[in-house]
Amino acid sequence: MSKILFVMTGADHWTLADGTRHPTGFWAEEAVAPYEAFKAAGHDIVVATPGGVAPHADAASLSAEANGGRENADRIAGALAAMDELRSPLALEDVSLDDYAAVFYPGGHGPMEDLAVHAGSGRLLTLALRSGMPLGVVCHGPAALLAAVAEDGSNAFAGYRLTGFTNAEETQAGLAGKAPWLLQDRLVAAGADFREGEPWAPHVVVDRNLVTGQNPASSAPVATELLALIKQSA
């Protein structure tokens, strides 16, 4: 039975352009849907965060509105409560990629705060990409790609087709005007070939061993594509 590494934000806020702290963390569905898919396929999950702090779910991601109603919101909350791996994560700095069959980064605004500037995460991403290891990243998770710097100073993901939370979605969510920077803009500036889908609709881009999803609705489809890559690389 192989192991999949979940690299998750350790942040519980996102610092906005005016210096105020927007409460956040990881987005619940983006952890739960892939977790359930990977477990159903027989894989073990190991969670790692910067410093080994327990990851914090964005309260908004547990609302009825975000989950299509109270019944599903309660199901998501129950699934999170049952994920024992969230309570005792590894320190990201201590992770060895040799122990894993794939790497997955869920989103939420938290990665915009910590993983976007975390050198250890950037090195891990660069190693995973170059090794051909299946790598899945969804929604705001691609903020972590900004810290993946090659030896020549360029971004390791420059030239890759990928997606992530779009400017249009950030605007519709009401945070674009308050944000210190926008994910789509930064990924384009880093040299990525950003592929934008319809706001809030599932949209997945696969380029070599990299699978990216645009938004929460893309998390389960990303997991499906990642599992296919794991089978191919086995």
Side-chain angles (χ1 to χ4, degrees), residues 28-92:
E29 181 184 2
E30 295 167 21
V32 169
Y35 178 93
E36 292 178 338
F38 298 150
K39 286 291 228 182
H43 299 285
D44 285 333
I45 307 299
V46 176
V47 173
T49 65
V53 301
H56 174 82
D58 189 319
S61 73
L62 297 171
S63 69
E65 180 183 10
N67 291 285
R70 174 48 54 193
E71 182 178 353
N72 195 49
D74 289 345
R75 189 194 75 79
I76 292 287
L80 277 183
M83 290 169 61
D84 292 337
E85 298 89 345
L86 295 177
R87 288 184 277 280
S88 55
L90 300 179
L92 180 54

Side-chain angles (χ1 to χ4, degrees), residues 9 11-12 22-28 55-63 66-67 80 107-110 175:
T9 179
D12 62 3
H22 174 72
T24 186
F26 69 89
W27 198 259
H56 174 82
D58 189 319
S61 73
L62 297 171
S63 69
N67 291 285
L80 277 183
H109 282 103
L175 284 169

